[in-house]
């Protein structure tokens, strides 16, 4: 496998570049716009939206295998290509139960994995009786195309829920007016794990991390999470069950809740590389991007373990509408010892947009402190970065 097609040309595809070079793999990317991050690193580009399957047919002719950096594809249309022999990794059947958040919850529950209580909502009628066993607050989610908290709403009471549903139903297309409603989990922390599975069925998991969200958007990731060995084992078992059940070839991100009584629940599956695995670029022997390429190219998987005591990854999120490249803030952040800044080269900043990230290795001079108490140290480093990045 020498030429890998990638559906989606955002930062997740852009970050595959170094690994592709290392493995001698060429990347051919399907992405809509000239300004998309991966345009600068691709050998060849098919300019088209990710759900344009006729563009994917063209992409398929230019490569040996196709993988995903964005899952908002048209699976029905792609399955025609698969029947004609186009090789998708992960296979389309591994994506089918995941693209709709309600279907995904059902799939996980049926596998016996722990998930929050949930049901599907189509109209406001009968809501009262259905919701009684959940209690408020509840979490309402668009079943499709949600990301970075878009389409996720925490709702405090029935009136607000009914209002939200009728507003969303009126303003959105029929397809988007289908919702998943679930219990609000008063989690103690949010966790995530990346797991890869090879063509031969070998599975490797990355260290479990703690993710910290603000307004449903990830702000920072601490690796490794300070959890018990038993919780790590439970999470690794979840990853194995899921990847084996779907016969995944590739890498998946699994987002989890750790409840106040120490239970682990699965929140969401990303069938690709994920923000919670970015630390692996600088902190692990094999990054999540190299692992994805290894898996889809049929190579043996690499060592996913941390090469340092710990790491903290902080997202550099847009906070204004601007064309600035934030050179001076990036420079200041890069001067933090052991900091690695990744700037995605997006030409436009918008509030909440992921423009880049920085990973700081908690090591060397801080090694003892990092080993003894990684979380407070990681939080302090993240605070320093955010105080440089965000205007006060
Ligand atoms: P997205 O696909 O947009 O990332 P998620 O389902 O991951 O949506 O939700 C984004 C964030 O919203 C989560 O990381 C968490 O902080 C919060 N959240 C989502 N579901 C729940 C829930 N059931 N209970 C409490 N918080 C939740």
């Amino acid at each position: 496998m020498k030429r890998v097609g990638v559906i989606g040309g955002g930062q997740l595809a852009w970050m595959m570049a170094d690994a592709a070079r290392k493995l001698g793999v060429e990347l051919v990317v399907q992405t809509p716009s000239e300004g998309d991050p991966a345009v600068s690193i691709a050998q060849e580009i098919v300019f088209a939206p990710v759900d344009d399957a006729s563009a994917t047919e063209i992409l398929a002719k230019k490569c040996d295998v196709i993988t995903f950096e964005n899952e908002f594809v048209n699976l029905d249309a792609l399955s025609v290509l698969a029947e004609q022999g186009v090789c998708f990794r992960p296979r389309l059947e591994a994506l089918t139960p995941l693209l709709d958040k309600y279907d995904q919850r059902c799939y996980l529950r049926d596998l016996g994995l722990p998930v929050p209580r949930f049901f599907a909502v189509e109209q406001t009628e009968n809501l009262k009786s259905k919701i009684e066993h959940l209690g408020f607050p509840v979490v309402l989610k668009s079943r499709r195309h949600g990301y970075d908290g878009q389409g996720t709403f925490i709702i405090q009471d029935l009136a607000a829920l009914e209002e939200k549903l009728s507003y969303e139903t009126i303003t959105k297309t029929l397809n988007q007016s289908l919702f998943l409603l679930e219990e609000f989990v008063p989690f103690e922390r949010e966790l995530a794990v990346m797991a890869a599975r090879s063509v031969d069925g070998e599975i490797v998991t990355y260290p479990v991390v703690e993710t910290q969200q603000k307004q449903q958007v990830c702000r920072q990731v601490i690796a490794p999470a300070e959890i018990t060995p038993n919780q790590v084992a439970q999470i690794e078992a979840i990853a194995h069950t899921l990847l084996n059940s779907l016969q995944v070839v590739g890498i998946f991100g699994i987002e989890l809740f750790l409840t106040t009584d120490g239970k682990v629940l699965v929140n969401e599956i990303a069938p690709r590389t994920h923000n919670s695995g970015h630390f692996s670029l600088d902190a692990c022997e094999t990054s999540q991007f190299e692992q994805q390429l290894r898996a889809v190219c049929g190579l043996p998987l690499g060592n996913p373990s941390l090469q340092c005591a710990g790491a903290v990854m902080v997202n550099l999120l847009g906070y204004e509408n601007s064309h600035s490249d934030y050179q001076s803030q990036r420079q200041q952040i890069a001067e933090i010892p052991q900091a690695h800044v990744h700037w995605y080269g997006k030409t436009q900043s918008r509030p909440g947009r992921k423009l880049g990230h920085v990973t700081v290795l908690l090591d060397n001079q801080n090694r003892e402190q990092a080993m003894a108490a990684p979380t407070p140290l990681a939080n302090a480093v993240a605070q320093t970065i955010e105080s440089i990045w965000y205007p006060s």
Side-chain angles (χ1 to χ4, degrees):
M1 298 287 184
K2 279 288 164 216
R3 279 172 78 86
V4 175
V6 184
I7 300 185
Q11 64 265 18
L12 299 178
W14 177 77
M15 283 185 268
M16 293 167 88
D18 282 348
R21 211 171 301 121
K22 177 176 166 190
L23 299 173
V25 164
E26 294 187 348
L27 300 176
V28 190
V29 172
Q30 173 177 339
T31 198
S33 316
E34 197 78 57
D36 292 339
V39 168
S40 63
I41 58 96
Q43 256 71 36
E44 227 180 305
I45 300 147
V46 177
F47 283 108
V50 296
D51 61 356
D52 180 342
S54 49
T56 306
E57 191 172 2
I58 297 168
L59 179 74
K61 297 205 168 84
K62 298 175 185 291
C63 55
D64 307 308
V65 59
I66 292 179
T67 192
F68 305 87
E69 81 106 50
N70 180 315
E71 65 276 26
F72 299 148
V73 293
N74 179 344
L75 280 184
D76 288 341
L78 292 186
S79 62
V80 177
L81 301 181
E83 277 159 26
Q84 291 165 359
V86 174
C87 178
F88 291 97
R89 286 183 177 161
R91 68 201 181 107
L92 302 180
E93 292 83 350
L95 302 184
T96 309
L98 302 182
L99 300 197
D100 174 305
K101 286 186 193 233
Y102 175 71
D103 294 348
Q104 184 182 117
R105 277 267 186 279
C106 293
Y107 186 82
L108 298 172
R109 177 199 58 199
D110 295 348
L111 264 184
L113 300 181
V115 291
R117 286 174 293 152
F118 68 98
F119 57 82
V121 169
E122 292 178 28
Q123 293 153 354
T124 50
E125 56 195 89
N126 288 333
L127 218 49
K128 206 169 169 192
S129 60
K130 270 175 139 181
I131 216 164
E132 241 150 33
H133 73 289
L134 290 190
F136 282 97
V138 288
V139 183
L140 182 72
K141 297 180 177 181
S142 300
R143 286 175 59 166
R144 289 205 54 138
H145 297 124
Y147 71 100
D148 287 350
Q150 314 242 4
T152 292
F153 311 96
I154 296 168
I155 309 255
Q156 299 298 337
D157 56 43
L158 189 63
L161 177 61
E162 285 177 345
E163 191 186 334
K164 187 81 207 160
L165 280 173
S166 54
Y167 172 78
E168 291 291 322
T169 312
I170 298 162
T171 52
K172 302 276 166 65
T173 63
L174 183 67
N175 202 20
Q176 287 171 309
S177 70
L178 299 170
F179 290 94
L180 163 68
L181 194 64
E182 64 187 26
E183 68 175 307
F184 177 84
V185 179
F187 53 79
E188 194 241 309
R189 268 176 288 167
E190 289 190 81
L191 306 172
V193 70
M194 299 303 306
R197 187 173 176 276
S198 73
V199 171
D200 299 333
E202 179 201 0
I203 291 178
V204 299
T205 55
Y206 281 79
V208 178
V209 298
E210 175 180 345
T211 67
Q212 297 181 2
Q213 273 65 232
K214 257 193 204 157
Q215 277 137 14
Q216 283 105 48
V217 181
C218 178
R219 292 288 282 255
Q220 66 189 65
V221 170
I222 300 169
E226 282 188 76
I227 55 174
T228 66
N230 184 28
Q231 287 161 341
V232 171
Q234 272 180 55
I235 291 169
E236 288 177 350
I238 289 170
H240 280 252
T241 302
L242 179 74
L243 269 66
N244 279 332
S245 156
L246 290 168
Q247 293 175 50
V248 170
V249 174
I251 191 159
F252 274 24
I254 305 173
E255 296 175 55
L256 310 125
F257 298 124
L258 182 63
T259 66
T260 41
D261 53 357
K263 287 203 197 86
V264 170
L265 298 177
V266 180
N267 174 30
E268 192 170 42
I269 311 301
R272 49 167 166 76
T273 54
H274 189 254
N275 196 176
S276 62
H278 288 0
F279 72 96
S280 65
L281 271 174
D282 303 298
C284 298
E285 187 175 318
T286 311
S287 77
Q288 62 167 343
F289 304 99
E290 178 176 342
Q291 206 72 276
Q292 179 182 25
L293 285 176
R294 287 183 161 277
V296 305
C297 290
L299 297 169
L301 299 179
N303 173 9
S305 57
L306 277 171
Q307 301 296 294
C308 51
V312 54
M313 189 282 323
V314 180
N315 278 329
L316 303 177
L317 301 175
Y319 50 82
E320 61 179 1
N321 290 303
S322 158
H323 288 282
S324 172
D325 66 359
Y326 301 97
Q327 189 67 50
S328 106
Q329 281 142 287
R330 280 156 55 194
Q331 185 55 40
Q332 277 184 65
I333 292 170
E335 283 164 13
I336 295 171
Q338 308 250 39
H340 300 259
V341 177
H342 300 262
W343 186 251
Y344 308 150
K346 295 182 184 177
T347 50
Q348 241 186 324
S349 169
R350 283 193 305 273
R353 192 168 195 214
K354 288 173 177 161
L355 302 175
H357 75 262
V358 51
T359 298
V360 178
L361 308 182
L362 306 177
D363 218 357
N364 298 341
Q365 72 272 31
N366 292 326
R367 191 167 183 94
E368 269 170 34
Q369 200 187 346
M371 299 290 267
T375 311
L377 180 61
N379 282 330
V381 171
Q383 215 167 5
T384 305
I385 292 166
E386 294 210 338
S387 69
I388 298 169
W389 178 248
Y390 296 103
S392 49

